[in-house]
Amino acid sequence: MIAPLWARCLLGWLLLVATIPLPAWATSPVTLGIYNSRSEAIMRLRFEPLADYLSRAIGEPVELLLLSEAELDQALAANRLDFVLTNPSHFLIIRSERSLSGVLATLNRRWQGVATASLGGVIIAASDRAGVEDLASIRDKTLVAPSVNSLGGYLAQALELQQIGVDIRRSNRIKLVGSHDRVIRAVLAGDADVGFIRTGILEQLALTQPELMFKLDVVNSQRLAGFPFMASTRLYPEWPLVALPHVDDDIVRRTASALFALEPDDPAAQAADIAGFLPPADYQAVEYLSRSLKVPPFDQAPELTWIDALHQYRLWVFTIMVLLLMLVASSLWLAKRRRQLLNEQRRTRRLMMSWPQPMLVIRRGVFVDCNHAAIEMLGVASREALIGGEVASFSPEYQPDGQDSEAKMRAIMAMADGGLVCQQEWLFRHSDGSDIWVVMTIAPAHEPGATNSLLLCSWHDITDRRQTEQRQRLAASVFDTAREAIFISDRYGRVVDVNEGYANITRQPKHQALGKLPPLPLGEGSGVFQNARISGFWRGEVVFNRTDGEQLDLVLTLSRVCDDTGSVTHFIGIYNDVTDSKAKEHELRTLAHYDALTGLPNRVLFADRLQQGMAQARRHNLRLAVVYIDLDELKPVNDTFGHEAGDMLLIETAERLQQSLREEDTLARMGGDEFTAIILNIDNEADLERLLSRMLVAVAEPVWAGDHQVEISASIGYTVFPQQTEIDGDQLLCQADQAMYQAKRQGKGCFRRFFPDISA
């Protein structure tokens, strides 16, 4: 049956409509999410024309969404955004949490005809707010910022402050208000001491509110070449525009072309105060900032599995495996060589052990082997007592020629290591304290150029010959040539002979000294002869009073004299007068540890006593206080009456402060008009405060400075130890100093205790 004409026309019209493509406006709009860093009205006025421009340029409707940081994160999690324009720090967090296609373009801002693709941070304070002059003065102040993830509004300033030692996250109270405009309002209202905003905000607001430039100061202001805004920090790349992975590639390309084609004179660019968009900037500087501050996404170390490590370091793993194989092969070859060397060493050792003269093997300056003859010569108990020791360790400190035994032996071994055979007379010390003279021969037992040198050492005993020569020299010249006071005593210590120097120093004629004991130390007396009898010599200080009452400081060197059998027959004593050097030493010690004006301990001695007091407090579970005292009105005294009057005032004040303290406490002068004290064994703080009150009263009493009577006061700060956290002496002194300045600010003539929030 043929369909009616109207039905066929209707069917044809429907088919025609179906073949016509739908207009672009019928599709879902492209969503552009922008971080709302200021008020929504301002941001919409700036970026709505940009959304309209993109709609025309890409042929797709573009919906502009102005979102806070939290709203941006929620929209991204729900896949409601196609493109995002946000601050660089927030971009790093987004990139770490979800897959992104990378930065499409970087915003190029414009101001007064100058374009810049950089941003920084600005630190502002009210002009009438005192105490905020530089970065260091921001410590302990109340801060206001838009967000902790804002690059220009928080992170850039935090890094600058951290690099000068100010960690605002620990030392400052921080308020987060959501936008830069609110930051400025909070600073002007006095709700915060310091505000953080990004560059450009202040200049934009000044267009409509010129008085802002007079009401606000920029801290650490910098004028950077080519940068049109005031800044307090270094610069970083501007906001990135990012495409989400689900966006069609064709739309991404059209959008990128439109962004790069945006001219500075386009209404959309002028409304947004930008010069257009540039190719993606390098955001490594922002990553470095986030890593330095340990903020998201770099606040936690990434997890590393064994598989990841092997994959990442596969080249190193392969190299190490090859080296291990080479090491195994080398070890096998070295083991074979070692067995051969051991066989040769065993043959050499059998020959050395059977030799009648002392024979030893030296490696790297120490004995590694010896025969029985060497053990007998030194009189040690066993072979183990000799092995591992050096030649100098069995010798007196100095050889008879005056050279240091250790240094002289190093020189001999250096020549032997070079291939020379060295022969030298050497003095050893027997285990019973007697001297042993030998002719020592050291010869290399290793191949030339070998790194592990081996030396063969032999000794020929010449002790008898040397003792005979020594006695002859003693008898011939000791009294004739020596200028020191020398005496010879019998084995009981009674003087049998003295030289002229002895009579000059002691002021005793020779006939009075004979048959008596020489001047000896009061504490040890004749026991020094027993010490010299055992060890061969004794050396120490002797205080001697002459008959005229003069006191001398003498250094006595007492040596024993033995006969052919080794028995002690005499002692030789030598006195050196060190009276002048001892006096100079005492004077230098006093200058190094005491203040020249007041006689009080200085900073060095104070630090030493503070360490001792802290150690005692820890050991006995006691408490101590560190007190910092500053005289309030010393400078006017110096300016009015002269520095001599000021010195008299300091001396009198030091005496009064010292009288206010207990005997176990320490008072020190740090310099100028500053004193410190260590108060030990504090039972309760009430007693401590009464003591501090006495000190204030003592300082406040009138003082005669020359011909003038003056009155001053003192500001005192103190802190106690121990505290909840471990702290050193310098930190205690710093705490007391801060508390002292708090006392000065609160009217002077008082004392204050340190608390962690004292600056607030």
Side-chain angles (χ1 to χ4, degrees):
M1 182 176 181
I2 300 175
L5 180 61
W6 65 268
R8 283 181 290 173
C9 290
L10 179 61
L11 179 61
W13 183 81
L14 292 174
L15 292 174
L16 180 62
V17 171
T19 59
I20 297 175
L22 292 174
W25 302 103
T27 60
S28 59
V30 175
T31 55
L32 171 61
I34 297 181
Y35 172 50
N36 191 13
S37 63
R38 300 188 62 189
S39 67
E40 184 172 352
I42 294 175
M43 295 294 288
R44 187 165 296 280
L45 186 65
R46 289 183 59 194
F47 289 101
E48 191 73 57
L50 178 63
D52 296 338
Y53 164 80
L54 291 176
S55 298
R56 297 190 301 272
I58 68 176
E60 300 285 347
V62 177
E63 180 184 1
L64 176 65
L65 298 179
L66 299 174
L67 305 172
S68 66
E69 184 179 312
E71 292 170 341
L72 267 177
D73 293 337
Q74 293 175 0
L76 287 169
N79 283 329
R80 292 194 292 108
L81 300 178
D82 299 315
F83 295 92
V84 175
L85 180 63
T86 185
N87 79 71
S89 299
H90 190 216
F91 159 67
L92 295 181
I93 298 175
I94 297 173
R95 188 183 65 182
S96 68
E97 294 176 347
R98 50 187 55 82
S99 175
L100 296 178
S101 59
V103 177
L104 197 63
T106 295
L107 188 70
N108 189 21
R109 193 173 295 274
R110 181 182 61 186
W111 180 256
Q112 296 181 348
V114 180
T116 178
S118 301
L119 66 88
V122 180
I123 304 174
I124 60 173
S127 299
D128 57 357
R129 175 76 68 172
V132 184
E133 295 84 15
D134 51 24
L135 294 179
S137 63
I138 295 177
R139 185 191 301 273
D140 300 327
K141 299 294 188 296
T142 300
L143 307 179
V144 60
S147 167
V148 293
N149 292 327
S150 174
L151 176 60
Y154 178 79
L155 297 176
Q157 295 92 330
L159 180 62
E160 297 294 328
L161 290 166
Q162 177 177 285
Q163 292 186 343
I164 67 165
V166 179
D167 187 351
I168 61 175
R169 292 171 292 186
R170 294 179 179 271
S171 63
N172 294 74
R173 181 188 176 194
I174 303 173
K175 298 180 180 179
L176 304 177
V177 295
S179 71
H180 298 282
D181 300 75
R182 293 176 183 171
V183 170
I184 294 176
R185 288 198 294 271
V187 172
L188 290 175
D191 296 336
D193 299 311
V194 178
F196 292 169
I197 59 174
R198 66 156 283 163
T199 52
I201 299 295
L202 201 56
E203 288 82 356
Q204 290 175 353
L205 289 175
L207 292 177
T208 58
Q209 305 175 55
E211 67 277 6
L212 279 181
M213 290 302 185
F214 301 99
K215 294 181 178 181
L216 295 174
D217 290 335
V218 175
V219 181
N220 195 38
S221 178
Q222 304 178 40
R223 286 293 183 180
L224 305 175
F227 189 68
F229 304 117
M230 290 186 294
S232 300
T233 70
R234 67 198 72 183
L235 300 181
Y236 301 89
E238 263 287 1
W239 285 20
L241 193 146
V242 184
L244 277 297
H246 64 265
V247 183
D248 184 72
D249 292 342
D250 183 57
I251 294 179
V252 173
R253 286 193 295 272
R254 281 183 284 161
T255 302
S257 299
L259 292 173
F260 295 141
L262 180 62
E263 296 294 336
D265 56 356
D266 191 280
Q270 293 180 352
D273 287 334
I274 62 175
F277 287 84
L278 299 175
D282 185 0
Y283 289 90
Q284 289 291 330
V286 184
E287 289 191 17
Y288 167 78
L289 176 144
S290 300
R291 293 180 188 275
S292 298
L293 293 176
K294 296 182 180 179
V295 297
F298 303 108
D299 54 341
Q300 295 181 352
E303 295 184 0
L304 182 66
T305 64
W306 283 105
I307 295 177
D308 294 335
L310 290 174
H311 178 74
Q312 182 175 356
Y313 303 105
R314 56 187 180 276
L315 180 60
W316 283 104
V317 172
F318 175 76
T319 303
I320 292 173
M321 293 299 295
V322 172
L323 291 176
L324 286 175
L325 291 175
M326 295 174 62
L327 181 62
V328 170
S330 300
S331 299
L332 294 175
W333 180 81
L334 289 174
K336 180 180 178 181
R337 290 289 299 164
R338 186 171 180 273
R339 286 194 298 271
Q340 295 174 351
L341 290 174
L342 286 175
N343 291 333
E344 294 178 4
Q345 289 176 0
R346 280 194 289 267
R347 287 194 295 270
T348 303
R349 189 172 187 276
R350 284 195 297 269
L351 177 63
M352 184 185 73
M353 291 299 171
S354 61
W355 202 256
Q357 294 290 337
M359 299 286 289
L360 306 98
V361 178
I362 301 174
R363 178 183 288 122
R364 296 175 182 172
V366 299
F367 298 127
V368 296
D369 203 357
C370 65
N371 62 4
H372 188 69
I375 298 172
E376 288 185 342
M377 175 173 284
L378 293 178
V380 294
S382 62
R383 178 176 176 273
E384 286 71 22
L386 192 58
I387 300 303
E390 301 179 353
V391 173
S393 62
F394 297 95
S395 310
E397 184 177 0
Y398 296 96
Q399 290 296 303
D401 59 2
Q403 295 188 53
D404 181 82
S405 295
E406 187 174 353
K408 186 175 182 179
M409 181 50 60
R410 281 199 301 268
I412 294 173
M413 289 190 178
M415 292 188 292
D417 287 337
L420 298 177
V421 177
C422 302
Q423 192 172 75
Q424 177 79 40
E425 288 190 1
W426 194 265
L427 177 63
F428 283 104
R429 183 63 46 77
H430 194 273
S431 61
D432 63 2
S434 60
D435 293 338
I436 304 173
W437 278 96
V438 300
V439 174
M440 180 169 57
T441 303
I442 299 180
H446 56 271
E447 296 294 332
T451 57
N452 191 10
S453 62
L454 199 68
L455 304 177
L456 189 62
C457 179
S458 66
W459 300 335
H460 175 64
D461 191 349
I462 59 169
T463 304
D464 293 342
R465 188 190 75 189
R466 292 290 302 195
Q467 288 178 346
T468 301
E469 294 173 354
Q470 185 176 3
R471 284 194 296 269
Q472 292 173 348
R473 287 193 298 271
L474 174 64
S477 64
V478 64
F479 286 121
D480 297 331
T481 59
R483 300 179 60 185
E484 295 83 3
I486 302 175
F487 69 90
I488 300 176
S489 73
D490 60 17
R491 60 178 180 172
Y492 301 108
R494 292 188 295 264
V495 175
V496 297
D497 201 358
V498 297
N499 69 346
E500 185 178 352
Y502 183 95
N504 292 334
I505 289 179
T506 62
R507 302 284 173 86
Q508 289 182 341
K510 181 176 180 179
H511 68 274
Q512 292 183 2
L514 297 180
K516 299 178 181 177
L517 290 175
L520 298 173
L522 294 178
E524 298 185 65
S526 59
V528 299
F529 292 99
Q530 182 63 21
N531 292 333
R533 187 189 308 275
I534 296 173
S535 61
F537 75 100
W538 180 90
R539 183 181 177 87
E541 294 186 4
V542 177
V543 178
F544 176 71
N545 293 316
R546 287 174 170 170
T547 55
D548 58 4
E550 183 181 1
Q551 181 175 295
L552 299 179
D553 291 317
L554 307 175
V555 174
L556 169 62
T557 301
L558 186 66
S559 302
R560 69 184 182 188
V561 178
C562 301
D563 59 12
D564 295 338
T565 63
S567 299
V568 176
T569 60
H570 296 83
F571 291 97
I572 298 177
I574 303 176
Y575 289 105
N576 288 319
D577 188 354
V578 295
T579 305
D580 292 339
S581 61
K582 292 281 286 187
K584 291 179 180 178
E585 179 183 356
H586 180 267
E587 181 181 358
L588 291 174
R589 188 182 299 110
T590 301
L591 291 175
H593 293 90
Y594 291 89
D595 177 55
L597 178 63
T598 63
L600 294 176
N602 61 9
R603 185 183 297 270
V604 175
L605 185 55
F606 174 85
D608 180 68
R609 292 188 179 178
L610 179 56
Q611 293 300 324
Q612 295 178 16
M614 292 172 65
Q616 182 181 6
R618 292 190 191 97
R619 187 163 52 250
H620 299 292
N621 195 23
L622 300 174
R623 300 177 68 200
L624 62 82
V626 176
V627 181
Y628 209 105
I629 308 158
D630 185 85
L631 304 184
D632 296 322
E633 303 297 333
L634 179 62
K635 187 176 184 302
V637 175
N638 285 331
D639 295 341
T640 305
F641 305 119
H643 287 279
E644 182 177 356
D647 290 345
M648 295 175 65
L649 176 61
L650 286 172
I651 294 171
E652 177 63 23
T653 302
E655 292 178 357
R656 293 181 179 182
L657 290 173
Q658 185 69 63
Q659 292 172 1
S660 301
L661 298 177
R662 302 166 302 178
E663 290 187 3
E664 65 265 26
D665 301 331
T666 296
L667 178 67
R669 184 185 178 209
M670 306 302 281
D673 58 355
E674 296 179 341
F675 297 84
T676 55
I678 306 169
I679 312 300
L680 301 174
N681 305 329
I682 300 173
D683 295 328
N684 56 74
E685 290 202 30
D687 292 341
L688 174 61
E689 291 180 356
R690 282 193 291 270
L691 186 147
L692 297 178
S693 298
R694 290 199 304 270
M695 296 172 71
L696 290 174
V697 172
V699 173
E701 292 180 357
V703 179
W704 281 98
D707 298 329
H708 307 279
Q709 188 179 47
V710 297
E711 293 182 6
I712 62 171
S713 62
S715 297
I716 298 178
Y718 74 95
T719 187
V720 295
F721 176 87
Q723 300 179 7
Q724 292 182 351
T725 58
E726 186 60 30
I727 191 170
D728 60 25
D730 290 340
Q731 291 172 309
L732 283 174
L733 195 60
C734 181
Q735 290 180 357
D737 185 40
Q738 293 181 33
M740 180 272 292
Y741 278 106
Q742 183 70 8
K744 276 187 176 294
R745 288 194 292 269
Q746 295 186 4
K748 304 179 180 179
C750 60
F751 59 84
R752 290 292 180 269
R753 179 182 174 179
F754 172 81
F755 293 99
D757 58 345
I758 192 169
S759 298

mmCIF file with all atom_site columns, all heavy atoms in Angstrom, residues 125 129-138 141 218-221:
data_model
loop_
_atom_site.group_PDB
_atom_site.id
_atom_site.type_symbol
_atom_site.label_atom_id
_atom_site.label_alt_id
_atom_site.label_comp_id
_atom_site.label_asym_id
_atom_site.label_entity_id
_atom_site.label_seq_id
_atom_site.pdbx_PDB_ins_code
_atom_site.Cartn_x
_atom_site.Cartn_y
_atom_site.Cartn_z
_atom_site.occupancy
_atom_site.B_iso_or_equiv
_atom_site.pdbx_formal_charge
_atom_site.auth_seq_id
_atom_site.auth_comp_id
_atom_site.auth_asym_id
_atom_site.auth_atom_id
_atom_site.pdbx_PDB_model_num
ATOM 1   N N   . ALA A 1 125 ? 53.999 45.147 56.436 1.00 0.00 ? 125 ALA A N   1
ATOM 2   C CA  . ALA A 1 125 ? 53.681 45.462 57.823 1.00 0.00 ? 125 ALA A CA  1
ATOM 3   C C   . ALA A 1 125 ? 53.116 46.874 57.854 1.00 0.00 ? 125 ALA A C   1
ATOM 4   O O   . ALA A 1 125 ? 53.423 47.704 56.979 1.00 0.00 ? 125 ALA A O   1
ATOM 5   C CB  . ALA A 1 125 ? 54.915 45.357 58.717 1.00 0.00 ? 125 ALA A CB  1
ATOM 6   N N   . ARG A 1 129 ? 53.615 50.129 62.784 1.00 0.00 ? 129 ARG A N   1
ATOM 7   C CA  . ARG A 1 129 ? 53.953 48.953 63.600 1.00 0.00 ? 129 ARG A CA  1
ATOM 8   C C   . ARG A 1 129 ? 55.459 48.938 63.857 1.00 0.00 ? 129 ARG A C   1
ATOM 9   O O   . ARG A 1 129 ? 56.242 48.787 62.920 1.00 0.00 ? 129 ARG A O   1
ATOM 10  C CB  . ARG A 1 129 ? 53.530 47.676 62.883 1.00 0.00 ? 129 ARG A CB  1
ATOM 11  C CG  . ARG A 1 129 ? 53.935 46.385 63.573 1.00 0.00 ? 129 ARG A CG  1
ATOM 12  C CD  . ARG A 1 129 ? 53.079 46.064 64.771 1.00 0.00 ? 129 ARG A CD  1
ATOM 13  N NE  . ARG A 1 129 ? 51.702 45.733 64.392 1.00 0.00 ? 129 ARG A NE  1
ATOM 14  C CZ  . ARG A 1 129 ? 50.793 45.269 65.227 1.00 0.00 ? 129 ARG A CZ  1
ATOM 15  N NH1 . ARG A 1 129 ? 51.100 45.085 66.504 1.00 0.00 ? 129 ARG A NH1 1
ATOM 16  N NH2 . ARG A 1 129 ? 49.564 45.003 64.806 1.00 0.00 ? 129 ARG A NH2 1
ATOM 17  N N   . ALA A 1 130 ? 55.873 49.096 65.095 1.00 0.00 ? 130 ALA A N   1
ATOM 18  C CA  . ALA A 1 130 ? 57.301 49.115 65.432 1.00 0.00 ? 130 ALA A CA  1
ATOM 19  C C   . ALA A 1 130 ? 57.816 47.684 65.600 1.00 0.00 ? 130 ALA A C   1
ATOM 20  O O   . ALA A 1 130 ? 57.061 46.764 65.909 1.00 0.00 ? 130 ALA A O   1
ATOM 21  C CB  . ALA A 1 130 ? 57.522 49.907 66.722 1.00 0.00 ? 130 ALA A CB  1
ATOM 22  N N   . GLY A 1 131 ? 59.115 47.536 65.399 1.00 0.00 ? 131 GLY A N   1
ATOM 23  C CA  . GLY A 1 131 ? 59.748 46.242 65.660 1.00 0.00 ? 131 GLY A CA  1
ATOM 24  C C   . GLY A 1 131 ? 59.820 45.328 64.459 1.00 0.00 ? 131 GLY A C   1
ATOM 25  O O   . GLY A 1 131 ? 60.236 44.177 64.566 1.00 0.00 ? 131 GLY A O   1
ATOM 26  N N   . VAL A 1 132 ? 59.411 45.797 63.266 1.00 0.00 ? 132 VAL A N   1
ATOM 27  C CA  . VAL A 1 132 ? 59.503 44.972 62.056 1.00 0.00 ? 132 VAL A CA  1
ATOM 28  C C   . VAL A 1 132 ? 60.320 45.772 61.046 1.00 0.00 ? 132 VAL A C   1
ATOM 29  O O   . VAL A 1 132 ? 59.774 46.556 60.261 1.00 0.00 ? 132 VAL A O   1
ATOM 30  C CB  . VAL A 1 132 ? 58.115 44.624 61.487 1.00 0.00 ? 132 VAL A CB  1
ATOM 31  C CG1 . VAL A 1 132 ? 58.265 43.691 60.295 1.00 0.00 ? 132 VAL A CG1 1
ATOM 32  C CG2 . VAL A 1 132 ? 57.239 43.981 62.553 1.00 0.00 ? 132 VAL A CG2 1
ATOM 33  N N   . GLU A 1 133 ? 61.642 45.603 61.108 1.00 0.00 ? 133 GLU A N   1
ATOM 34  C CA  . GLU A 1 133 ? 62.524 46.364 60.228 1.00 0.00 ? 133 GLU A CA  1
ATOM 35  C C   . GLU A 1 133 ? 63.160 45.490 59.153 1.00 0.00 ? 133 GLU A C   1
ATOM 36  O O   . GLU A 1 133 ? 63.423 45.952 58.051 1.00 0.00 ? 133 GLU A O   1
ATOM 37  C CB  . GLU A 1 133 ? 63.645 47.047 61.033 1.00 0.00 ? 133 GLU A CB  1
ATOM 38  C CG  . GLU A 1 133 ? 63.161 48.098 62.008 1.00 0.00 ? 133 GLU A CG  1
ATOM 39  C CD  . GLU A 1 133 ? 62.719 47.487 63.327 1.00 0.00 ? 133 GLU A CD  1
ATOM 40  O OE1 . GLU A 1 133 ? 63.048 46.305 63.568 1.00 0.00 ? 133 GLU A OE1 1
ATOM 41  O OE2 . GLU A 1 133 ? 62.008 48.177 64.094 1.00 0.00 ? 133 GLU A OE2 1
ATOM 42  N N   . ASP A 1 134 ? 63.464 44.225 59.486 1.00 0.00 ? 134 ASP A N   1
ATOM 43  C CA  . ASP A 1 134 ? 64.135 43.350 58.529 1.00 0.00 ? 134 ASP A CA  1
ATOM 44  C C   . ASP A 1 134 ? 63.623 41.930 58.725 1.00 0.00 ? 134 ASP A C   1
ATOM 45  O O   . ASP A 1 134 ? 62.727 41.676 59.527 1.00 0.00 ? 134 ASP A O   1
ATOM 46  C CB  . ASP A 1 134 ? 65.655 43.415 58.709 1.00 0.00 ? 134 ASP A CB  1
ATOM 47  C CG  . ASP A 1 134 ? 66.070 43.189 60.155 1.00 0.00 ? 134 ASP A CG  1
ATOM 48  O OD1 . ASP A 1 134 ? 65.292 42.556 60.899 1.00 0.00 ? 134 ASP A OD1 1
ATOM 49  O OD2 . ASP A 1 134 ? 67.165 43.626 60.535 1.00 0.00 ? 134 ASP A OD2 1
ATOM 50  N N   . LEU A 1 135 ? 64.218 41.000 57.955 1.00 0.00 ? 135 LEU A N   1
ATOM 51  C CA  . LEU A 1 135 ? 63.740 39.614 58.010 1.00 0.00 ? 135 LEU A CA  1
ATOM 52  C C   . LEU A 1 135 ? 63.937 39.012 59.393 1.00 0.00 ? 135 LEU A C   1
ATOM 53  O O   . LEU A 1 135 ? 63.074 38.286 59.896 1.00 0.00 ? 135 LEU A O   1
ATOM 54  C CB  . LEU A 1 135 ? 64.472 38.770 56.955 1.00 0.00 ? 135 LEU A CB  1
ATOM 55  C CG  . LEU A 1 135 ? 64.186 39.114 55.491 1.00 0.00 ? 135 LEU A CG  1
ATOM 56  C CD1 . LEU A 1 135 ? 64.987 38.218 54.570 1.00 0.00 ? 135 LEU A CD1 1
ATOM 57  C CD2 . LEU A 1 135 ? 62.703 38.994 55.172 1.00 0.00 ? 135 LEU A CD2 1
ATOM 58  N N   . ALA A 1 136 ? 65.065 39.305 60.030 1.00 0.00 ? 136 ALA A N   1
ATOM 59  C CA  . ALA A 1 136 ? 65.341 38.692 61.336 1.00 0.00 ? 136 ALA A CA  1
ATOM 60  C C   . ALA A 1 136 ? 64.336 39.132 62.388 1.00 0.00 ? 136 ALA A C   1
ATOM 61  O O   . ALA A 1 136 ? 64.030 38.376 63.318 1.00 0.00 ? 136 ALA A O   1
ATOM 62  C CB  . ALA A 1 136 ? 66.759 39.043 61.783 1.00 0.00 ? 136 ALA A CB  1
ATOM 63  N N   . SER A 1 137 ? 63.792 40.348 62.259 1.00 0.00 ? 137 SER A N   1
ATOM 64  C CA  . SER A 1 137 ? 62.858 40.845 63.276 1.00 0.00 ? 137 SER A CA  1
ATOM 65  C C   . SER A 1 137 ? 61.482 40.207 63.174 1.00 0.00 ? 137 SER A C   1
ATOM 66  O O   . SER A 1 137 ? 60.623 40.447 64.021 1.00 0.00 ? 137 SER A O   1
ATOM 67  C CB  . SER A 1 137 ? 62.731 42.370 63.142 1.00 0.00 ? 137 SER A CB  1
ATOM 68  O OG  . SER A 1 137 ? 62.171 42.727 61.881 1.00 0.00 ? 137 SER A OG  1
ATOM 69  N N   . ILE A 1 138 ? 61.247 39.385 62.147 1.00 0.00 ? 138 ILE A N   1
ATOM 70  C CA  . ILE A 1 138 ? 59.942 38.736 61.982 1.00 0.00 ? 138 ILE A CA  1
ATOM 71  C C   . ILE A 1 138 ? 59.778 37.569 62.944 1.00 0.00 ? 138 ILE A C   1
ATOM 72  O O   . ILE A 1 138 ? 58.656 37.108 63.210 1.00 0.00 ? 138 ILE A O   1
ATOM 73  C CB  . ILE A 1 138 ? 59.762 38.301 60.508 1.00 0.00 ? 138 ILE A CB  1
ATOM 74  C CG1 . ILE A 1 138 ? 59.722 39.536 59.606 1.00 0.00 ? 138 ILE A CG1 1
ATOM 75  C CG2 . ILE A 1 138 ? 58.518 37.464 60.305 1.00 0.00 ? 138 ILE A CG2 1
ATOM 76  C CD1 . ILE A 1 138 ? 59.618 39.240 58.133 1.00 0.00 ? 138 ILE A CD1 1
ATOM 77  N N   . LYS A 1 141 ? 56.766 36.932 65.536 1.00 0.00 ? 141 LYS A N   1
ATOM 78  C CA  . LYS A 1 141 ? 55.658 37.832 65.235 1.00 0.00 ? 141 LYS A CA  1
ATOM 79  C C   . LYS A 1 141 ? 54.440 37.033 64.744 1.00 0.00 ? 141 LYS A C   1
ATOM 80  O O   . LYS A 1 141 ? 54.550 35.896 64.293 1.00 0.00 ? 141 LYS A O   1
ATOM 81  C CB  . LYS A 1 141 ? 56.068 38.852 64.163 1.00 0.00 ? 141 LYS A CB  1
ATOM 82  C CG  . LYS A 1 141 ? 57.227 39.765 64.563 1.00 0.00 ? 141 LYS A CG  1
ATOM 83  C CD  . LYS A 1 141 ? 56.832 40.687 65.697 1.00 0.00 ? 141 LYS A CD  1
ATOM 84  C CE  . LYS A 1 141 ? 57.901 41.732 65.974 1.00 0.00 ? 141 LYS A CE  1
ATOM 85  N NZ  . LYS A 1 141 ? 59.152 41.174 66.439 1.00 0.00 ? 141 LYS A NZ  1
ATOM 86  N N   . VAL A 1 218 ? 57.026 47.681 53.039 1.00 0.00 ? 218 VAL A N   1
ATOM 87  C CA  . VAL A 1 218 ? 57.479 46.405 52.473 1.00 0.00 ? 218 VAL A CA  1
ATOM 88  C C   . VAL A 1 218 ? 58.803 46.041 53.140 1.00 0.00 ? 218 VAL A C   1
ATOM 89  O O   . VAL A 1 218 ? 59.763 46.808 53.089 1.00 0.00 ? 218 VAL A O   1
ATOM 90  C CB  . VAL A 1 218 ? 57.645 46.488 50.948 1.00 0.00 ? 218 VAL A CB  1
ATOM 91  C CG1 . VAL A 1 218 ? 58.223 45.184 50.413 1.00 0.00 ? 218 VAL A CG1 1
ATOM 92  C CG2 . VAL A 1 218 ? 56.304 46.795 50.291 1.00 0.00 ? 218 VAL A CG2 1
ATOM 93  N N   . VAL A 1 219 ? 58.835 44.890 53.821 1.00 0.00 ? 219 VAL A N   1
ATOM 94  C CA  . VAL A 1 219 ? 60.038 44.420 54.511 1.00 0.00 ? 219 VAL A CA  1
ATOM 95  C C   . VAL A 1 219 ? 60.962 43.737 53.511 1.00 0.00 ? 219 VAL A C   1
ATOM 96  O O   . VAL A 1 219 ? 60.511 42.964 52.669 1.00 0.00 ? 219 VAL A O   1
ATOM 97  C CB  . VAL A 1 219 ? 59.654 43.447 55.643 1.00 0.00 ? 219 VAL A CB  1
ATOM 98  C CG1 . VAL A 1 219 ? 60.911 42.988 56.381 1.00 0.00 ? 219 VAL A CG1 1
ATOM 99  C CG2 . VAL A 1 219 ? 58.683 44.102 56.607 1.00 0.00 ? 219 VAL A CG2 1
ATOM 100 N N   . ASN A 1 220 ? 62.272 44.028 53.614 1.00 0.00 ? 220 ASN A N   1
ATOM 101 C CA  . ASN A 1 220 ? 63.280 43.448 52.715 1.00 0.00 ? 220 ASN A CA  1
ATOM 102 C C   . ASN A 1 220 ? 62.960 43.786 51.259 1.00 0.00 ? 220 ASN A C   1
ATOM 103 O O   . ASN A 1 220 ? 63.037 42.939 50.370 1.00 0.00 ? 220 ASN A O   1
ATOM 104 C CB  . ASN A 1 220 ? 63.375 41.922 52.898 1.00 0.00 ? 220 ASN A CB  1
ATOM 105 C CG  . ASN A 1 220 ? 64.629 41.349 52.276 1.00 0.00 ? 220 ASN A CG  1
ATOM 106 O OD1 . ASN A 1 220 ? 65.694 41.960 52.328 1.00 0.00 ? 220 ASN A OD1 1
ATOM 107 N ND2 . ASN A 1 220 ? 64.518 40.187 51.665 1.00 0.00 ? 220 ASN A ND2 1
ATOM 108 N N   . SER A 1 221 ? 62.578 45.048 51.020 1.00 0.00 ? 221 SER A N   1
ATOM 109 C CA  . SER A 1 221 ? 62.162 45.458 49.681 1.00 0.00 ? 221 SER A CA  1
ATOM 110 C C   . SER A 1 221 ? 63.318 45.342 48.701 1.00 0.00 ? 221 SER A C   1
ATOM 111 O O   . SER A 1 221 ? 64.451 45.723 48.997 1.00 0.00 ? 221 SER A O   1
ATOM 112 C CB  . SER A 1 221 ? 61.646 46.903 49.727 1.00 0.00 ? 221 SER A CB  1
ATOM 113 O OG  . SER A 1 221 ? 61.288 47.337 48.439 1.00 0.00 ? 221 SER A OG  1
#
